[in-house]
Every structure is written in C-alpha cells, then in structure tokens.
Amino acid sequence: MPENLLEVRDLTITPAGADAPVLHDVSLSLAPGERVGLIGESGSGKSLTAQSVMGLLPEELHARGQVHLQGHSGNLLEANEKTLAGLRSDIVSMVFQEPMSALNPLMRIGDQIAEVLRLHGKAPRGQIPTRVLELLRDVHMPDPDSDRFAYPHQLSGGQRQRVMLAIALANSPRLLICDEPTTALDVTVQKHMLDLIAERVSAVEAGLLFITHDLAVVAGVCDRVIVMYRGRIVESGSVDEIFTAPKHEYTRGLLASSDLEATDDRGRLFTLKTALAYSGPQIGEAEASVDVREPGDLRDEPQISTRPDHTGMSVAGSTDEDSVRTTSARDGAGAASVRDDHRTPSVRESAPLIEVSDVTRIFRGRGLFGRRRSDVTALGGIDFSVAAGARLGIVGESGSGKSTLLNILSGLDRPTTGHVRVGDIRVEAASSQALRRLRENLQIVFQDPFASLDPRMRIADIVAEPLIAAGVDKDERAARVEEMIAAVDLDQDSLRRYPHQFSGGQRQRISIARALVTRPQILVADEPVSALDVSVRAQVLNLLTDLVDEYALTLLFVSHDLGVVKHLCSEVIVMRAGQIVESGATEDIYANPQDEYTRRLIAATPSLAEALTAG
Amino acid sequence: MNPTPTSAQSPSDHVDPVALDATDATASAKIRPGRSRRSGRRANASMIIGAGLVVLIVGLALISFVWTPYDPTTIDPAARLQSGSLTHPFGTDTFGRDTLTWVMVGARITLLVGVVAVGIALLIGTPIGIISAFFAKQPWGMWIDAVIMRANDILLAFPALLLAIIFAAVYSPGTGPAMVAVGIAAIPGFARVARSGTLQVLGSEYVRAARASNRRIPAIAVVHVLPNIAGMVIVQASVAFAISVLAEAGLSFLGLGTQAPTPSWGRMLQESQQYLSTHPELALWPGVFIALAVLGFNLLGDGLRDRFDPKMEARGA
Amino acid sequence: MLTYAINRAIQFALSLLVASVVIFALMSLLPGNAAQVALGTNATPEAVASLEAQYGLDRPPLIRYLDWMGGMLTGDFGTSYVTGAEITPVIVDSVQVTAILVIAAIAVSILIAVPLGTFAALEQRNWIGVTISAISQVGIAIPNFLAAIILVIIFSLTLGWFPSQGWMAPIEGLGGFLLRLVLPVVSLALVQAAVLTRYVRSAVLDVMREDYIRTARAKGLTKTKALFAHGLRNAAIPVITVAGVQLATLLVGAVIIEQIFVLPGIGSELVRAVANRDLVAVQGIVMVLVLLVLIINLIVDILVPIVDPRIRNAA
C-alpha cells in the first residue's frame, strides 16, 4: 500500500473539564500531491482537525487518536513541541483565515519570510535575500523589491495573504493546509488568491488540505471533498460524487442551501429542511413541491427555536401566495409588479420613491493641531433612483462607498454635495423633524448579528426601541413586538432573553423584527447574511423575501455577494471606489455586463455549476 | 471600510491603554485579555476574597460606632507599650491606648476618605468622559473632546499624593483637604474609562440602529451607554478606592493628612517609627490593615473586571 | 516621525504652561496669601504688609506670575519668605538625590518584573505561575512606606546589614553611598515590581493569544521561541506606557521614602517646606515634580512609535 501523506485516525477532541467531545472519531487520509477539501459550517470541527495536524491545538483541548505524517514516524499527537516545531513549515505548512492579524506588526515582511528560511536551514545564509525576493515574486507581489521592506499594515488584506502563502511554501512542504484563506477577502481578490494557491501548490508539488465553508470554492480547487457536521465526518468522496449525488442529508442540505440559483416552488432558497426537493446544481427550474417535515435529527439552528422553517407563515395571505406562485418564481421584477398591483396603491406612482442625484461625500483628513491630511472621497457623484416596491441590490467590494451611501440614505450622514430625496423628504437639507420622519419610514438591518444588538437589553426592549422613539404607547408596543417576533419565526419566550442566548441567524431575525416593527416603507439590508453560515443564510434570505412581500417593502440590499443579490433583487447597481460603474435590471447585467469591473466581479464569484463544469 | 469620521480612530488608540489609571493598582482593561473560562473561575475567587476583605473593613468601622474594646482617647500610662495579650489583643501604644480599638476606629477614616474621594471622582469624571466621547463623535465637536482630554492629561501630571500635599500646604493639613485632593486626582481615571467605554458603545452597530430608530442622544446615553459602561466604571471605582486608601495612609504618615487625635492607620504607622527597634509590633497592625484594605479593593476590582469583561459578554454562550 | 516628535514637544510645552498656571493659582490666589501663611494667623497686619512689600506680593497676580515664570526660565525659583534663602540651589541639590533613588528603583523593578511577569505568563497554568501572580497581587497592596518599615526592622534593626537612615554622596565614598541606597531603593522597587509584574504578565498573555504567534509557531518556532522572537517586542508597547506612569508614581512615592530614610531629596524638601509654610518653596518644588512627570510622559510618547511602525507611519 502506498504510504499516505497524511493519515488521521479516530481523532477525538475534548475540551478540558468537559465530558462531550467536540470532535468525534475523525479519520481521513490524503495521498501525496492530493488536494482535499474539508467542508463544514461553524462548529463543525474542521479547523480543530487542521490544528491537530499542525500541533497548534489550544492547550485546553485534549486530542486522542492518531495523526501520522509522511516523513515523521510516530503519532503527531504524542510528539513534543520541539519535534512538532521541526515539522511545521518544513513538511506541513498552514495559511490562516485572518490576514490582518497573522503577521507580526512590528517586523518587515521580508524579515518574516527570511525567518522561516533560516529556521529550517533550507537555503544557505547568503542566498536568503535572493530567495525572499524570489518567493515574493512567486506570489505575484506587485513590487517585490520594495515590498520586502514593508510592514504588514502597509499592505492590503490580499497582499498579506500572499505573504502568508509565501511563508507557508518557502520550504516546499509536502502538505499545505489552508484554513478559510479567502473568507476575509473581497471576491475579486479571492479569485486571484485561489488561483495562486492552486498554482503554487502545483509548483512545489505539495498536497493540499483546504478548509472552507464555501462549497463553490472547494469545487474549483480540490479533487476530493470531506464533509463535516458537528464534529463528525458525514460524507466524503470526489467532487463530482459529492456535488451531484450527495448521500448524506446534511451534505444535500448544505449543497441545496448554498445554491443560490436554485429555488423551491415558492421561489425560496432551499434550506436544510427543504433540501430533499433539491435536484443538484444545474441552472434549471425546481420541480415538484415536496411537503417537508422535520427530517432526521438535523436542526437548522441548534439553539432555541425548533419551529419549522417558515413554511406556514401565519401572516402571509393565501391569495398573495397564489399570485406570486403563478409568476415565475425567480422573476423578482415580476413579483414586484404583482405586489404593486394589489398592495400599495399609494406609492405606485411614476415618481420614484428614492432619488439620489450627483451625491458626493468627501471626508476631510484631519491631523494633529489641524494639520491637513489628504481628503478621502468616499462617494464621487452618485445618481440613481428606486421605484416604490423595487428591490435594488447595491454591490461592491470593501471601499466601494456602499456603507457611506447607506448612511446618507438613512440620514445618519449628510452628503458633501448633491441631492437625496426619499419620499417627500430632501435628506441633505432635512430638519431634524424631517429626519425623524425619514427614519420612521426607512429602517436598517445591519451586518454583524453579534454587534447590532445591545448585549444588556432584553429582546423585547430591543425590538420595541424604534416604537419608543416613535412615541407608541406601552400596550401597543407590546402587541406590535409580539406580532413582529412571531413574524420572524421566533418564540414569544425569546422576548425575555438576552442577545447572547441566540445564534447568529436568530439574532438576524431579531434585527429584522426591530427594523420592521415601525412598519417602514423602505428596508435597507446592509450585508445581512455575510456573517452567517450557508444553511442559516438561506433561511434568513427566505424570511427577508417573505417579509418584503408581506409588507410590500422597498428593499435596498447591500452585499458583496453577487449570488445573493441575483437571487433577491430585480435591479442592481455595481459600485466601485465611490462610483456607480453599472446599473440596470439584474438579469441584464448578469447576462450582458457592460463594464469591465462588473465582468470581473461576475467571473470571480464562485459558482457551483461553473466550478463543476470547469473541473 | 469607508473612512467615516465615526470609525476613524487614530492609530495611537491601539496602544494607549485607555483605562490606565494614574496609579498602579491593577492591570488596565485594555491590556487585559478576554479570559479563558478557567481563569474566569479563578478570578471569581478573587472577587469573593476581595469582597470578604472589604466587608471585614467595613464591618470593623461600623462596629466601632457602637462598640470598641476600650475608649480610643483614654490614656492609660500603666498599660503603655504592651505586647499582644488577652486584655489587649493587638497590644497598646505609647500612651497605653488599645491598638485594636485604634485599628477599628481608624477604619472609619480610611473608608470615609475612600468614599468621598471616589464619589467626587466618579460623579465628576464619568460624565466628563461620556460627554467628551459624544463630542468626539461629532465632526464639529472633536476639538472640545481634544481640549477636555488634554486637560485630563495635565491633571494626570498631579498624582494623588502630590495634589494632597499641595492642598495641605495651602489649606491646613487635615482629612477634608486630603479627601478632596485625592478625589480630584482620581478624576482623569474615571474620565478616561468612561470615555473609552462610551466610544466603544457609540461605535457599535446597536447604537447605529438606535440612531436609525430615531432615539435621541440623551436617550442613547441612558439606555445604551450607561448600562454598558457601568461595569467598567464600577471596576474603576474599586481600583480608585484602593488608591485613595494608599494616598490617605501615605499622607497621614507624612503628618499632612488626618490630624491627632483622630485615629488613622497612616499616623499610627508613623508614630510607631520611634519604637521600631524596641516595639516593631506597633507597626504591624496598622500596616496589616492598610494592606488588607488595599488588597481587598484591588481583588474586588479584578473580580468585577472579569465579571464585566465586555469581550466575554459580546460573544457570550 | 519628526513632525510627530515636534507635535509632542509642543503639547509638552503647552501642558507645562497650563500646569504652571494651575500651580500658581492654587498657591497664590486662593486662600489669603503667602505672607499671611508664612507668618501665621496671629501676625499683625503691619507685619504682613511689610513682608508683602518686601517680596512684591502686593503687585497684581499676572505680574507676579510672569515674574515667577521668568525667574524659573532663567533658573531662579525665587527666595523663601520664611528663611530668606535662595530656593534654586536647594532644588538642584535635592533633585539629584531623588533622581538617583527613582532611576535605581525603576531599573531594579524592571529587572525583577520583566522576567518574572513573562515567566508567570508562560507558566500560567502551573502552580508557579499562580504563585507569582498571587505574590504580586499582595505586593501591590503593600504601600512602599510599610515595605520600608518592614525592611528596616529586618535588615537594619535585626540583622544590622544596612544603615536604617542617612545619605552619603558618591564622592564621599562609593561603598557608603551604595550601602545607604539599598534599603530605600528596594522599598520603592519591590512594590513597583509587583505592579509591573502583573502588567507584564497580562501583556504577555495577550500577545500569546495573537494570530502572529500562531503564525510564528506554524513557521517552526516552539511556543517559547515564538514568544521571544515575536511576542516580547509587541508586549513591550503597553508595558512602556505603563512603566511611564509607574515612574511618575515612583517619583511621588519617593517623598515618603525620603522621609523614612532621612534622605536629602526633593521630597524631604517638599515636606519641610510644607511644614514651614514656605509657599514659595512648595510652589517651586511642585513645579519641578510636575515638570519631571511631564518629561517622563514625553519620553514614553516618543519611545512608543520607535518600537511600533504603525504609529510611526501614522505620525
């Protein structure tokens, strides 16, 4: 039998003082040069598995089992720190998720690369500077000659991740472990990074263990996939097998809920529970509706709510359901017009609900004692309008100005020049009275479910907060809050609890409840699902879709994720560096992007179907 | 990320341990880690021990109002400079006064100075810090914040003991000026803690959400800021209390604090100096109780800090 | 970096100016006046008036302030109303004694605290780490004058190794100088070392949790080597700031220690001036102490960006 590069047997990890393991009997192997994807959501144990191989497990976790690595005899779990240190970066290397903090902030990056060369004595001392330059060139740093003298804070996230890759591969290890290496990066940067990892791993003929939550990423990079769920391996097989004929229901559910192209008969994304109806990652219409009830022991959100995924929205009128269902499920524009027809005659006029014309926002640089620094143009002349009832996606990567735009729309910030009209309110010149009226009509769901709820307030108070500001009396507040919490599929019990008792997905539901409790006309969602696991993401997006229908909302959906926007929005604007580079109907822009940046963005967005056909 | 003024933090914020108090009692919140569960449990033990010591000192002071073994002012030449015995457990001083009685009554001054000084600092420093932080978030108000914080820094150049000495020089030495001086010297500590806590809260998404929900600034201050910085302020109070115990003792030791005949631990220690070679135990008891009081408040602050550690709360369960 | 340093220097000068105004206002404006204080409450109005006239106290406050400031800038802290002696030589002599004491103490405490705190962090889970933490916690609670008394009882009165008080200038005899310095320095340093140990420990613990330490280990460094190669310099940044504050605390703590050991330092002069109601001397000495505190802050502010390129570049 040819010796495996990596052999993990019965790996079980238990936290000190706890009875229940967090990782159960994990066994996996990796042949020399093989590329394996390790997939799972948060809490699945995928990173722990990797850390055990590196001997970097936190001390309060105890690992049992066997980990064998080619080139070292004996169980790595029993090796001492010195032995392990000798293997790390020599035989097995790792690239971590967080590029911003993974490099020593006080040391030039050239020195940080040189250190790893010196440590393992692979390069003769005199050649180290040349080798450092070579490595920086290999990872396509823009200007290796001067970049080696840079400190980490002077580099972008993508560049820092390149440096990490250069460090990891400096000694040509036999195995490279990548732990979510692109999760913190922008989409276009992610694409480059993935290509680079593939390229460099081939170049040094290393094996690759690629850890991620993103199925589409794995499909493009790996030969074989291992799926983990709650500390266990539930399935493994070739990329084709897993993605076209998943055996385990969790794999199927994960696949179904990550596929933003596929929807069920109601035009909703698949979730772990409705995944049975999912037929694989083809771009095609979903088939027969299947009545799905509580399959197996899977729970979408492991903590409090075990209610079925809003299959029976109590507040959803049946006639609307039917009328929506008759239209093409994925045709957002169609759905919007249907709503307009019988819902909100008052806002159905020709004049757009939101009008933004020639808006700029410049932040003045500020130095000590008034010393001027260069100004930053966050928005450089933005024009667009949104019709009542429309669903507009605002797409852009970090630094595109989308958050600034949101702040201006919601009256939290004022434009430097230009005009913003929301309804009948001129936002740039609004009195505080008018701003209050604006905010009653326009509510926001924020990105970070952990930061957007005050940790010291009960859910009831959090959801009621906009009502207090609006002067609603106590009894009505309680009634409206209860109604809203039901609308977002949470138990009434939740009202007495505090935010930390909820999972990320549940917190986003609470955020949505808070945003909608004043019955605004406009809902602004600022990356509401980017911090969520894939399966939870699908649920929250479905809930959002339901509520947008139900309350006839005008939706502004800000995201870096084109897939999500494509699913949800009828129109889209693409932003870059404070400018709108392209706008129009979502379908058109996808089918026929005019701008070069849009094209790049679309090409860079990982897609299951494409990854499979390409592979 | 967009460089909005609200999120613009000067890079020096990174290393400035904002919660640094002018003195030395314990590690600041900023360079304190979010702790593992294990050390969290141990820290809880420190809260219990700390609270126990504080209760002991407070208990001694309270009992002294209703009962003391001897009258604190009665001079008994026959019983001077005795060692510990059944009649005088802690011994007697050069005038034959009972040391235990003096320790009990001395606890009053220690606590009084602490309460008044911390009260002054908390009631002045906390609002200054909160208001300063609110100004810091306004493009037009940043200079007000800058001025307030600069004034704060200048006040930091006057450590508690130095300010108390100045007060003793200008007014006459006594407990009153000492309390006020120590209180004023502790203001910057509270202002810094309150300011950095408020800045954190104001930068959070839940305050953005509250603003987007039309909550007014006073409402945000009361509903969101105060509950979220209360923990930090309480920790600071505990630390400041320890500092004022030390300052009062030091000042009285110099003869510039509490004046005779009011019993005070610092002055007991000073008076013991003459008899160090023959009666070192005279220094023992006041010394032990000063140390216990400081230890108690420091431990309590440590334990509370772990209890209130925002990092543990935020990610919670 | 240069503009940063200039900025800090300007801030320093402004702080100094404001502090001098505060001190002057406290001393000269609030209660009665210096002449009254110097002569005591039962002095005749005529005596007070003549003293005021003698020292120009009857001039407007602004003139007196400018006079005082101008004097200090040329190294003249004025003349005592009580003794009639020049104050400047007293300050110059005594500040040297205090400087020796304080610098020696901070050096000793850093020498103790850095290794001990690092060790306590590395051995965080062992009894030895816990013991170091506990001892430092108790150490913080002991005021330096109590430490001094304990040390005197043990090493001077009982063992007789060191004199219990007194001062000898280094030129008069290096041995005697060092012998008399030991107990005061140790009393100051022990308590500061306890405080500093805790800061070092928690800074090192913080740093050990950083991602770049994990990176360093992934590169092939052992945990301990990763700490020495990457961690300590990062941990130094908060510790430098703390040590600066410590130094200021030490300076004031020295006032009491000088009293106990009868050292002719600036603290002893301050206490004597207060006791003599010599407000001119108090004012001058306080100004010098505040100046020293501000200088320490300035040094810290300039040291931090030297260690940390992020701040260097921002500045």
Side-chain angles (χ1 to χ4, degrees), chain A residues 49-104:
Chain A
T49 309
Q51 286 168 7
S52 313
V53 175
M54 291 292 287
L56 291 177
L57 216 52
E59 275 170 37
E60 57 269 18
L61 296 177
H62 297 310
R64 280 183 293 117
Q66 307 244 330
V67 176
H68 292 279
L69 200 60
Q70 196 182 52
H72 173 76
S73 56
N75 186 354
L76 281 189
L77 293 182
E78 281 153 21
N80 60 24
E81 171 77 5
K82 200 158 179 248
T83 317
L84 287 167
L87 297 173
R88 295 196 285 250
S89 278
D90 192 12
I91 294 181
V92 53
S93 280
M94 191 156 173
V95 175
F96 302 96
Q97 172 174 356
E98 194 38 74
M100 296 327 237
S101 54
L103 292 165
N104 184 347

Coordinates of all heavy atoms in Angstrom, one line a residue, chain A residues 49-104:
Chain A
T49 N -9.5 20.0 13.4 CA -8.8 18.9 12.7 C -7.5 19.4 12.2 O -6.5 18.7 12.4 CB -9.7 18.4 11.6 OG1 -11.0 18.1 12.1 CG2 -9.1 17.1 11.0
A50 N -7.5 20.5 11.5 CA -6.3 21.0 10.9 C -5.3 21.4 12.0 O -4.1 21.1 11.9 CB -6.6 22.3 10.1
Q51 N -5.8 22.0 13.1 CA -4.8 22.4 14.1 C -4.2 21.2 14.8 O -3.0 21.3 15.2 CB -5.6 23.3 15.2 CG -5.9 24.7 14.7 CD -6.8 25.4 15.6 OE1 -7.2 25.0 16.6 NE2 -7.3 26.6 15.1
S52 N -4.9 20.1 14.9 CA -4.3 18.9 15.4 C -3.1 18.5 14.6 O -2.1 18.0 15.1 CB -5.3 17.8 15.5 OG -6.5 18.2 16.1
V53 N -3.3 18.5 13.3 CA -2.2 18.1 12.4 C -1.0 19.0 12.6 O 0.1 18.5 12.6 CB -2.7 18.1 10.9 CG1 -1.6 17.8 10.0 CG2 -3.9 17.2 10.7
M54 N -1.2 20.3 12.8 CA -0.1 21.2 13.0 C 0.4 21.2 14.4 O 1.5 21.8 14.6 CB -0.6 22.6 12.7 CG -0.9 22.9 11.2 SD 0.6 22.9 10.2 CE 1.4 24.4 10.6
G55 N -0.2 20.5 15.3 CA 0.2 20.6 16.7 C -0.1 22.0 17.3 O 0.6 22.4 18.2
L56 N -1.1 22.6 16.8 CA -1.4 24.0 17.2 C -2.7 24.1 18.0 O -3.3 25.1 18.2 CB -1.4 25.0 16.0 CG -0.1 25.3 15.3 CD1 -0.3 26.2 14.2 CD2 0.9 25.9 16.3
L57 N -3.1 23.0 18.5 CA -4.4 22.9 19.2 C -4.3 23.7 20.5 O -3.3 23.6 21.2 CB -4.7 21.5 19.5 CG -6.2 21.0 19.5 CD1 -6.8 21.3 18.2 CD2 -6.2 19.5 19.7
P58 N -5.3 24.6 20.8 CA -5.2 25.3 22.1 C -5.0 24.3 23.3 O -5.6 23.2 23.2 CB -6.6 26.0 22.2 CG -7.0 26.1 20.8 CD -6.5 24.9 20.1
E59 N -4.3 24.7 24.3 CA -3.9 23.8 25.3 C -5.1 23.2 26.1 O -5.0 22.2 26.7 CB -3.0 24.5 26.3 CG -1.6 24.5 25.9 CD -0.7 25.4 26.8 OE1 -1.0 25.5 28.0 OE2 0.2 26.0 26.2
E60 N -6.2 24.0 26.1 CA -7.3 23.5 26.9 C -8.1 22.4 26.2 O -9.1 21.9 26.7 CB -8.2 24.6 27.4 CG -8.8 25.5 26.3 CD -8.0 26.7 26.0 OE1 -6.8 26.7 26.3 OE2 -8.5 27.6 25.3
L61 N -7.7 22.0 25.0 CA -8.3 20.9 24.3 C -7.4 19.7 24.3 O -6.2 19.8 24.0 CB -8.6 21.3 22.8 CG -9.6 22.5 22.6 CD1 -9.7 22.9 21.2 CD2 -10.9 22.2 23.2
H62 N -8.0 18.6 24.6 CA -7.3 17.3 24.6 C -7.6 16.5 23.4 O -8.8 16.2 23.2 CB -7.5 16.6 25.9 CG -7.1 17.4 27.1 ND1 -5.8 17.9 27.2 CD2 -7.8 17.7 28.2 CE1 -5.8 18.6 28.3 NE2 -6.9 18.5 29.0
A63 N -6.6 16.0 22.7 CA -6.8 15.2 21.5 C -6.4 13.8 21.7 O -5.4 13.5 22.3 CB -6.1 15.8 20.3
R64 N -7.2 12.8 21.3 CA -6.9 11.4 21.3 C -7.0 10.9 19.9 O -7.6 11.5 19.0 CB -7.9 10.6 22.2 CG -7.6 10.7 23.7 CD -8.6 9.9 24.4 NE -9.9 10.4 24.3 CZ -11.0 9.8 23.8 NH1 -10.8 8.6 23.2 NH2 -12.2 10.3 23.8
G65 N -6.3 9.8 19.6 CA -6.3 9.2 18.3 C -4.9 9.2 17.7 O -3.9 9.3 18.4
Q66 N -4.9 9.1 16.4 CA -3.6 9.0 15.7 C -3.5 10.0 14.5 O -4.4 10.2 13.8 CB -3.4 7.6 15.1 CG -3.7 6.5 16.0 CD -2.4 5.7 16.2 OE1 -1.6 5.6 15.3 NE2 -2.3 5.1 17.4
V67 N -2.4 10.7 14.5 CA -2.1 11.6 13.3 C -0.7 11.2 12.8 O 0.3 11.3 13.5 CB -2.2 13.1 13.7 CG1 -1.8 13.9 12.5 CG2 -3.6 13.4 14.1
H68 N -0.6 10.7 11.6 CA 0.7 10.3 11.0 C 0.9 11.2 9.8 O 0.0 11.4 9.0 CB 0.7 8.8 10.7 CG 0.7 8.0 11.9 ND1 1.8 7.7 12.6 CD2 -0.4 7.3 12.5 CE1 1.4 6.9 13.6 NE2 0.1 6.7 13.6
L69 N 2.2 11.6 9.7 CA 2.6 12.4 8.5 C 3.8 11.7 7.9 O 4.7 11.3 8.6 CB 2.9 13.8 9.1 CG 2.9 15.0 8.1 CD1 1.6 15.2 7.5 CD2 3.4 16.2 8.9
Q70 N 3.7 11.6 6.6 CA 4.9 11.1 5.9 C 6.1 11.9 6.2 O 6.1 13.1 6.1 CB 4.6 11.1 4.4 CG 5.5 10.3 3.5 CD 5.2 10.4 2.1 OE1 5.2 11.5 1.6 NE2 4.9 9.3 1.4
G71 N 7.2 11.2 6.5 CA 8.4 11.9 6.8 C 8.6 12.0 8.3 O 9.6 12.6 8.8
H72 N 7.6 11.5 9.1 CA 7.8 11.5 10.5 C 7.2 10.2 11.1 O 6.1 9.9 10.8 CB 7.1 12.7 11.2 CG 7.1 12.6 12.7 ND1 8.2 12.9 13.4 CD2 6.1 12.3 13.6 CE1 7.9 12.8 14.7 NE2 6.7 12.4 14.8
S73 N 8.0 9.5 11.8 CA 7.5 8.2 12.3 C 6.9 8.5 13.7 O 7.4 9.3 14.5 CB 8.6 7.2 12.5 OG 9.6 7.8 13.3
G74 N 5.8 7.9 13.9 CA 5.1 8.1 15.2 C 3.9 9.0 15.1 O 3.7 9.7 14.1
N75 N 3.2 9.0 16.2 CA 1.9 9.7 16.3 C 2.2 11.2 16.6 O 2.8 11.5 17.7 CB 1.1 9.1 17.4 CG -0.3 9.7 17.5 OD1 -0.6 10.6 16.7 ND2 -1.2 9.1 18.3
L76 N 1.7 12.1 15.8 CA 2.0 13.5 16.0 C 1.3 14.0 17.3 O 1.8 15.0 17.9 CB 1.5 14.3 14.8 CG 2.4 14.4 13.5 CD1 1.8 15.4 12.6 CD2 3.8 14.7 13.9
L77 N 0.2 13.4 17.6 CA -0.5 13.9 18.8 C 0.4 13.7 20.1 O 0.2 14.3 21.1 CB -1.8 13.1 19.0 CG -2.9 13.4 17.9 CD1 -4.1 12.7 18.2 CD2 -3.1 14.9 17.8
E78 N 1.3 12.7 20.0 CA 2.2 12.5 21.1 C 3.5 13.2 21.1 O 4.3 13.1 22.0 CB 2.4 11.0 21.3 CG 1.2 10.3 21.9 CD 1.0 8.8 21.5 OE1 2.0 8.2 21.1 OE2 -0.1 8.3 21.6
A79 N 3.8 13.8 19.9 CA 5.1 14.4 19.8 C 5.2 15.7 20.6 O 4.2 16.3 20.9 CB 5.3 14.8 18.3
N80 N 6.4 16.0 21.1 CA 6.6 17.2 21.9 C 6.7 18.5 21.0 O 6.8 18.4 19.8 CB 7.7 17.1 22.8 CG 9.1 16.9 22.1 OD1 9.2 17.3 20.9 ND2 10.0 16.3 22.7
E81 N 6.6 19.6 21.6 CA 6.6 20.9 20.9 C 7.8 21.0 20.0 O 7.7 21.5 18.9 CB 6.4 22.0 21.9 CG 6.6 23.4 21.3 CD 5.4 23.9 20.6 OE1 4.3 23.2 20.6 OE2 5.4 25.1 20.0
K82 N 8.9 20.5 20.5 CA 10.2 20.7 19.7 C 10.1 19.9 18.4 O 10.5 20.4 17.3 CB 11.4 20.3 20.6 CG 12.6 20.9 20.1 CD 13.7 21.0 21.1 CE 14.9 21.6 20.5 NZ 16.0 20.6 20.4
T83 N 9.7 18.7 18.5 CA 9.6 17.9 17.3 C 8.6 18.5 16.3 O 8.8 18.6 15.1 CB 9.1 16.5 17.7 OG1 9.7 16.1 18.9 CG2 9.2 15.5 16.6
L84 N 7.4 18.9 16.9 CA 6.4 19.5 16.0 C 6.9 20.7 15.3 O 6.7 20.9 14.1 CB 5.2 19.8 16.9 CG 4.3 18.6 17.3 CD1 3.4 19.1 18.4 CD2 3.6 18.0 16.2
A85 N 7.6 21.5 16.1 CA 8.2 22.8 15.5 C 9.1 22.5 14.4 O 9.1 23.1 13.4 CB 8.9 23.6 16.6
G86 N 9.8 21.4 14.5 CA 10.7 21.0 13.4 C 10.0 20.6 12.1 O 10.5 20.8 11.0
L87 N 8.8 20.0 12.3 CA 8.0 19.6 11.2 C 7.3 20.8 10.5 O 7.1 20.8 9.3 CB 7.0 18.5 11.6 CG 7.5 17.2 12.2 CD1 6.4 16.4 12.7 CD2 8.2 16.5 11.0
R88 N 6.8 21.7 11.3 CA 6.0 22.8 10.8 C 6.8 23.6 9.9 O 7.9 24.0 10.1 CB 5.5 23.6 12.0 CG 4.5 22.9 12.9 CD 3.7 23.8 13.8 NE 4.5 24.4 14.9 CZ 4.3 24.0 16.2 NH1 3.4 23.2 16.5 NH2 5.1 24.6 17.1
S89 N 6.2 23.9 8.7 CA 6.8 24.7 7.7 C 7.8 23.9 6.9 O 8.3 24.4 5.9 CB 7.4 26.0 8.2 OG 6.4 27.0 8.3
D90 N 8.3 22.8 7.4 CA 9.2 22.0 6.7 C 8.5 20.9 5.9 O 8.6 20.8 4.7 CB 10.2 21.4 7.7 CG 11.4 20.7 7.0 OD1 11.5 21.0 5.8 OD2 12.1 20.0 7.6
I91 N 7.6 20.2 6.6 CA 6.8 19.2 6.0 C 5.4 19.6 5.8 O 4.7 19.3 4.8 CB 6.9 17.9 6.8 CG1 8.3 17.4 6.8 CG2 5.9 16.8 6.3 CD1 8.6 16.1 7.6
V92 N 4.8 20.3 6.8 CA 3.5 20.7 6.7 C 3.4 22.2 7.1 O 3.9 22.7 8.1 CB 2.5 19.9 7.6 CG1 3.0 19.8 9.0 CG2 1.1 20.4 7.6
S93 N 2.7 23.0 6.3 CA 2.5 24.4 6.5 C 1.1 24.8 6.5 O 0.2 24.0 6.1 CB 3.1 25.2 5.3 OG 4.5 25.2 5.4
M94 N 0.8 26.0 7.0 CA -0.6 26.4 7.1 C -0.7 27.9 6.8 O 0.1 28.7 7.1 CB -1.0 26.1 8.5 CG -2.5 26.3 8.7 SD -3.0 25.3 10.2 CE -4.7 25.8 10.3
V95 N -1.9 28.2 6.1 CA -2.3 29.6 5.8 C -3.6 29.8 6.6 O -4.5 28.9 6.5 CB -2.5 29.8 4.3 CG1 -3.0 31.2 4.1 CG2 -1.2 29.6 3.6
F96 N -3.6 30.9 7.3 CA -4.8 31.0 8.2 C -5.8 32.0 7.6 O -5.6 32.6 6.6 CB -4.4 31.6 9.6 CG -3.4 30.7 10.3 CD1 -2.0 31.0 10.2 CD2 -3.8 29.7 11.0 CE1 -1.1 30.2 10.8 CE2 -2.9 28.8 11.7 CZ -1.5 29.1 11.6
Q97 N -6.9 32.1 8.3 CA -8.1 32.9 7.8 C -7.8 34.4 7.8 O -8.1 35.1 6.8 CB -9.3 32.5 8.5 CG -10.5 33.5 8.1 CD -11.8 33.0 8.8 OE1 -11.9 32.0 9.5 NE2 -12.8 33.8 8.6
E98 N -7.3 34.8 8.9 CA -7.4 36.3 9.2 C -6.1 36.9 8.7 O -5.1 36.9 9.5 CB -7.6 36.5 10.7 CG -8.0 37.9 11.0 CD -8.9 38.6 10.0 OE1 -10.1 38.3 9.9 OE2 -8.4 39.4 9.3
P99 N -6.0 37.5 7.6 CA -4.7 38.1 7.1 C -4.3 39.3 7.9 O -3.1 39.6 7.9 CB -5.0 38.4 5.6 CG -6.5 38.6 5.6 CD -7.1 37.7 6.6
M100 N -5.3 40.0 8.5 CA -4.9 41.3 9.1 C -4.1 41.1 10.4 O -3.3 41.9 10.7 CB -6.2 42.0 9.5 CG -7.0 42.5 8.3 SD -6.0 42.8 6.8 CE -6.5 44.5 6.5
S101 N -4.2 40.0 11.0 CA -3.5 39.8 12.3 C -2.5 38.7 12.3 O -1.8 38.4 13.3 CB -4.5 39.6 13.4 OG -5.3 38.5 13.1
A102 N -2.3 38.0 11.2 CA -1.5 36.8 11.2 C 0.0 37.2 11.1 O 0.8 36.3 11.3 CB -1.9 35.9 10.1
L103 N 0.3 38.4 10.7 CA 1.7 38.7 10.6 C 2.1 39.7 11.7 O 1.3 40.5 12.2 CB 2.0 39.5 9.2 CG 1.8 38.6 8.0 CD1 1.7 39.4 6.7 CD2 3.0 37.6 7.9
N104 N 3.4 39.5 12.1 CA 3.9 40.4 13.2 C 3.9 41.8 12.8 O 4.6 42.2 11.9 CB 5.3 39.9 13.6 CG 5.8 40.6 14.8 OD1 5.3 41.7 15.2 ND2 6.9 40.1 15.4

